[in-house]
Amino acid sequence: MIADNPIRRPEHDTLGRAPAARSFAEQILSLDASEGIVVGVLGPWGSGKTSFINLACCYLKDKGLTVIDFNPWMFSGTEQLLNHFFSELTAKLKLRKELSEVAKLVEEYAAAFSGMTPWIDLVVSVANVLRKIFGNGETDLDTRRKRVEDALLSLPQPIIVVMDDIDRLARNEIREVFKLVRLIARFPNIIYVLAFDRLMVEKALREPGISGRDYLEKILQLVVDLPAVTPDILQRQLLQAIDEALAGIDDPGPFYADAWPDIFMEVIRPLVRNMRDVRRFATTIRGTVRSLNEQIALTDVLALEAIRLFLPDVFAQLPFAVDALTTVSDSISRSDDHLKAAIDTLINANETHSEVVKSMIRRLFPAARRHIENNVYGPEWINIWLRKRRVAHKDILRLYLERVAGEGLQAFTDAERAFSVMADRKLFETYLRSLDPQRLEDVIASLEVFEDRFSKEHVVPGTIVLLNLRPELPERPRGLFDLDPRLVVGRVVYRLLRSLNDPVAVENAVRAIWPELTSLSAKLQLIDIVGYREHVGHKLVSETAAAEFERTWRSEVRAAPVTELKHEADLLRVLLVAKRYAEPDEPAPEIPDMPELTLAILRAARTEVRSVIIGSRAIRRSPRLYWDSLVEVFGDEECLRQRVNRLKASLPEESLSDEDKELLRLVDKYLEGWRPPEFDE
């Protein structure tokens, strides 16, 4: 199965685009790249831009050209992007022996250029900036750039730099990428191929008095607009993908050929917009059909899977509409207002596709047709639906909705369901808390998959629930590169807030979220995400607002009673940040000399170093303390020593857990002067 991934070779081309891609590659080869060329491959999401470029690059590579895939997603800010660009370019050139000298010159130029970008006005050329800094004479950087240009001009073939998925970046990140392109576009013998959705990028580049389209026209020398896949081809591809997805499943469930054409054309086909949707649907149905093990009619499963994948807001209402969808009527005059209300809620869950939802009811749930049209099914149909394993029977529908997903899909499936109710705080929290706590962290991590579908309705309820849940995530053994739970939650919350794309909107969201957070640790993490603290903040709100939030938080720390402080998940960090960033007119937070609080702080200082020996898969774990932070919080090491001694005197050793005894032994080891080596063996 090929999941939601672009094709990479011509033999995988099912849309007949390989000839057009080859023609595009030949057109690139015919361009005069002596002063650099920027080419745009434009098309809406899911139109196959990446696949088209991959096909073209196959031809270019066969012709011996060097192709660099530059991923701007991993870096933010012009300086990072620029440094990463030169690193990628140098690395690719070094792979080819005949280009090693060029690589060396580029590397030297990049080293000289590093550190200059904070002063660069990205609207003017690099040369103008250097003249502004160094005067009118030629600079060392001018000389190095000239050497690089001469070396690149001597190349027998141009270098291709591909930048894909630019339209999926945040607005400010899109602007940074295009600033980068303007800075480097004039390097000779380098052809930049940019792939993006024109409308999305034009919107991001728009400024007062300057249209995004005009901005693009100044950058792109050649534009290829990728044509949309025709409806006939898309339908053929969808049917073929369904067949391939189900191949190898011995018995996927009863298939009703008389019902299938209407289900396909009225429920499934209208929801599939592009080839990406085709692949997503094919991948989804294979896992679901296999896990259901022929217990439900295949025709119904395919329809409900389309609803689940493409209309999650509708799917989220299905569990609440089981009775309304499956309850038959004894007579045409019978009134069930509460059942009709549930059907109306289902239909209105997605107004754009309300007709598709009505078709789903009409084709899958005949008992509910009386709520949308004058068509009644009586009790005699119940056993027929049961024998046919149709979801029109209540027990069959519940089996579909409540089944246990296969192990490989479980976290993703649960995340899908969680996302579908994220806009409703109560439902979202109830659902997450209903999951096995040991799996909850994986489900939260899987929510990142839905980043491109986060909307303003998700931000406040989703952030509140996730930040409040984070301290409750159970500890579990972690691999060498596993993320800390705080980072897992923080990544999702950051993407939720970033989706608002407006500092004022983020600030308003933070004000709505703040009073609902149940711990100082949760509020600190929220400040970390939106604020300006070095190496932490993402600057999602104004500096004034960020400073206000921090002052409010520090006052709450100072006012917090010990009974609350000792239960903070990140107590050491809470106290450290409150003390370190206190303003001159603010008192430092007091740390009462209470053994229970001292013990809580020591527990929060506990960490571990995970390492492996080359040639072994075994992970070694070595206990450590954030010792410098502990000393800073308590003022000095002597004060810390006194607090620890009073802790030991007040709490008999037999009253301590084995974990706390081991912790105190580690503290004593640090107090005696031991420090871990900078690098373990």
Side-chain angles (χ1 to χ4, degrees):
M1 286 297 297
I2 298 178
D4 181 17
N5 296 317
I7 63 172
R8 298 191 175 278
R9 300 294 304 172
E11 54 266 28
H12 298 146
D13 175 33
T14 59
L15 299 180
R17 284 182 168 173
R22 176 172 181 146
S23 176
F24 170 64
E26 291 172 343
Q27 187 177 11
I28 285 179
L29 290 176
S30 68
L31 296 172
D32 177 9
S34 60
E35 294 187 1
I37 292 288
V38 183
V39 178
V41 176
L42 313 186
W45 287 358
S47 59
K49 298 184 293 295
T50 304
S51 296
F52 182 82
I53 291 173
N54 287 345
L55 293 174
C57 287
C58 283
Y59 180 78
L60 294 171
K61 289 176 182 177
D62 289 343
K63 291 293 184 179
L65 271 72
T66 297
V67 177
I68 299 174
D69 290 312
F70 180 73
N71 183 2
W73 278 63
M74 310 247 332
F75 301 87
S76 62
T78 307
E79 185 170 7
Q80 275 196 356
L81 284 168
L82 197 58
N83 291 338
H84 181 54
F85 171 79
F86 283 124
S87 296
E88 288 285 302
L89 179 60
T90 303
K92 276 287 186 179
L93 294 173
K94 285 181 177 179
L95 292 176
R96 300 182 59 169
K97 185 176 180 181
E98 69 273 17
L99 302 180
S100 59
E101 187 60 33
V102 179
K104 181 179 178 182
L105 291 172
V106 172
E107 194 168 36
E108 290 175 353
Y109 176 74
F113 195 87
S114 178
M116 297 293 294
T117 50
W119 297 330
I120 291 181
D121 178 359
L122 295 173
V123 179
V124 300
S125 68
V126 175
N128 287 341
V129 172
L130 294 174
R131 279 192 291 272
K132 188 181 297 184
I133 297 173
F134 295 107
N136 294 324
E138 186 181 71
T139 68
D140 181 60
L141 195 58
D142 287 329
T143 304
R144 296 190 186 197
R145 181 183 177 100
K146 185 65 168 59
R147 290 174 185 167
V148 171
E149 290 176 345
D150 291 343
L152 290 172
L153 273 173
S154 68
L155 296 178
Q157 294 175 310
I159 297 168
I160 310 297
V161 178
V162 177
M163 298 185 188
D164 197 2
D165 282 338
I166 297 172
D167 47 16
R168 291 181 176 268
L169 298 169
R171 180 177 183 272
N172 64 306
E173 293 171 333
I174 291 174
R175 297 169 70 86
E176 292 291 349
V177 168
F178 276 90
K179 289 175 182 177
L180 167 70
V181 172
R182 290 192 66 177
L183 276 174
I184 60 177
R186 294 185 64 82
F187 274 113
N189 257 339
I190 297 185
I191 299 176
Y192 306 88
V193 179
L194 314 183
F196 54 86
D197 181 326
R198 177 193 287 273
L199 295 180
M200 296 289 291
V201 169
E202 285 180 355
K203 183 178 179 181
L205 296 178
R206 188 183 305 148
E207 293 182 356
I210 302 177
S211 73
R213 184 161 300 177
D214 291 342
Y215 193 103
L216 280 180
E217 288 176 355
K218 293 178 181 179
I219 295 178
L220 303 178
Q221 282 88 46
L222 173 66
V223 172
V224 174
D225 287 292
L226 208 59
V229 179
T230 65
D232 289 345
I233 292 177
L234 191 62
Q235 180 169 314
R236 186 167 64 249
Q237 290 293 318
L238 176 58
L239 290 169
Q240 181 180 336
I242 293 172
D243 286 341
E244 292 174 354
L246 301 179
I249 300 177
D250 294 335
D251 193 344
F255 181 81
Y256 298 106
D258 56 339
W260 174 242
D262 293 328
I263 288 175
F264 178 78
M265 293 302 298
E266 296 178 18
V267 180
I268 300 174
R269 178 62 188 87
L271 298 178
V272 177
R273 303 158 298 173
N274 49 52
M275 284 301 297
R276 177 170 293 151
D277 287 348
V278 169
R279 294 193 186 100
R280 291 173 62 206
F281 184 63
T283 304
T284 297
I285 62 174
R286 182 173 180 84
T288 301
V289 171
R290 187 187 291 276
S291 70
L292 289 172
N293 195 25
E294 70 184 271
Q295 297 179 85
I296 303 177
L298 176 61
T299 41
D300 294 2
V301 172
L302 295 178
L304 289 176
E305 285 297 283
I307 297 295
R308 180 173 73 87
L309 183 61
F310 301 117
L311 300 181
D313 38 9
V314 175
F315 189 82
Q317 297 299 322
L318 284 178
F320 309 106
V322 171
D323 289 339
L325 291 168
T326 60
T327 300
V328 297
S329 177
D330 293 326
S331 69
I332 195 168
S333 61
R334 181 178 175 183
S335 174
D336 295 304
D337 292 340
H338 68 289
L339 298 180
K340 186 178 188 312
I343 295 299
D344 290 342
T345 299
L346 197 64
I347 293 171
N348 294 329
N350 189 304
E351 294 181 1
T352 304
H353 291 97
S354 59
E355 289 304 315
V356 172
V357 180
K358 289 179 182 178
S359 293
M360 175 197 71
I361 295 170
R362 190 177 297 112
R363 301 304 177 186
L364 301 187
F365 304 105
R369 293 177 70 168
R370 62 195 170 96
H371 301 299
I372 61 173
E373 59 187 35
N374 188 18
N375 206 326
V376 177
Y377 284 74
E380 68 276 11
W381 285 91
I382 294 177
N383 287 335
I384 295 174
W385 295 329
L386 181 60
R387 286 196 302 269
K388 288 189 170 185
R389 313 293 287 180
R390 301 295 301 270
V391 294
H393 190 282
K394 181 182 294 187
D395 292 343
I396 301 299
L397 178 56
R398 287 198 181 281
L399 173 63
Y400 171 80
L401 293 174
E402 299 171 7
R403 71 193 186 280
V404 177
E407 185 177 347
L409 293 173
Q410 200 167 17
F412 176 73
T413 301
D414 289 339
E416 272 190 323
R417 295 175 181 171
F419 174 73
S420 71
V421 297
M422 185 185 281
D424 186 313
R425 176 182 167 185
K426 185 176 180 180
L427 283 178
F428 185 48
E429 182 172 4
T430 300
Y431 179 73
L432 290 180
R433 289 186 181 280
S434 72
L435 300 174
D436 178 355
Q438 293 296 330
R439 295 180 47 252
L440 185 54
E441 184 178 325
D442 295 333
V443 175
I444 292 173
S446 296
L447 287 171
E448 282 192 55
V449 175
F450 305 98
E451 178 184 1
D452 62 341
R453 289 157 61 187
F454 288 164
S455 64
K456 62 181 181 181
E457 291 79 15
H458 298 121
V459 175
V460 172
T463 300
I464 292 170
V465 171
L466 292 174
L467 288 179
N468 283 338
L469 270 179
R470 203 273 298 173
E472 301 178 30
L473 295 179
E475 286 294 329
R476 63 184 191 184
R478 299 188 179 276
L480 193 62
F481 301 109
D482 286 348
L483 292 177
D484 178 88
R486 186 166 63 91
L487 294 177
V488 171
V489 171
R491 287 168 62 91
V492 180
V493 170
Y494 164 62
R495 283 157 175 75
L496 278 167
L497 292 166
R498 187 177 69 173
S499 69
L500 295 174
N501 282 326
D502 176 36
V504 174
V506 176
E507 180 180 333
N508 291 334
V510 172
R511 296 188 188 282
I513 292 164
W514 189 276
E516 302 300 323
L517 298 181
T518 56
S519 68
L520 294 167
S521 301
K523 292 179 179 179
L524 176 57
Q525 186 165 13
L526 181 60
I527 291 172
D528 286 342
I529 292 169
V530 304
Y532 286 73
R533 196 170 300 128
E534 190 175 5
H535 305 307
V536 177
H538 294 281
K539 303 178 182 179
L540 300 182
V541 299
S542 67
E543 289 192 70
T544 302
E548 176 193 343
F549 294 140
E550 293 200 27
R551 282 193 299 272
T552 301
W553 176 80
R554 288 194 296 269
S555 68
E556 291 183 13
V557 174
R558 293 193 298 271
V562 172
T563 53
E564 291 181 13
L565 281 177
K566 68 181 184 179
H567 294 298
E568 285 293 333
D570 297 321
L571 178 56
L572 177 63
R573 190 163 183 272
V574 165
L575 297 173
L576 182 67
V577 172
K579 179 176 182 179
R580 182 179 291 175
Y581 295 97
E583 294 179 353
D585 59 340
E586 293 179 352
E590 294 183 6
I591 304 176
D593 188 3
M594 300 177 66
E596 57 185 336
L597 182 59
T598 301
L599 182 58
I601 297 172
L602 294 177
R603 287 171 177 163
R606 183 169 43 205
T607 184
E608 69 175 11
V609 169
R610 300 190 294 270
S611 59
V612 294
I613 299 175
I614 294 176
S616 171
R617 295 183 178 87
I619 298 176
R620 299 191 303 171
R621 303 175 188 276
S622 305
R624 297 285 190 271
L625 292 173
Y626 291 119
W627 188 253
D628 291 341
S629 298
L630 273 174
V631 172
E632 184 176 348
V633 163
F634 284 101
D636 55 57
E637 198 164 306
E638 184 56 32
C639 178
L640 174 56
R641 186 189 307 275
Q642 293 173 8
R643 294 288 183 99
V644 172
N645 289 338
R646 281 192 282 272
L647 165 63
K648 292 178 181 178
S650 64
L651 294 177
E653 187 172 355
E654 58 268 21
S655 68
L656 298 172
S657 67
D658 291 342
E659 194 174 30
D660 285 337
K661 292 176 185 176
E662 193 170 317
L663 170 62
L664 290 176
R665 285 194 289 270
L666 182 59
V667 172
D668 287 339
K669 191 175 177 181
Y670 274 83
L671 286 171
E672 292 167 3
W674 177 85
R675 296 294 183 271
E678 184 175 355
F679 297 102
D680 281 339
E681 181 180 336

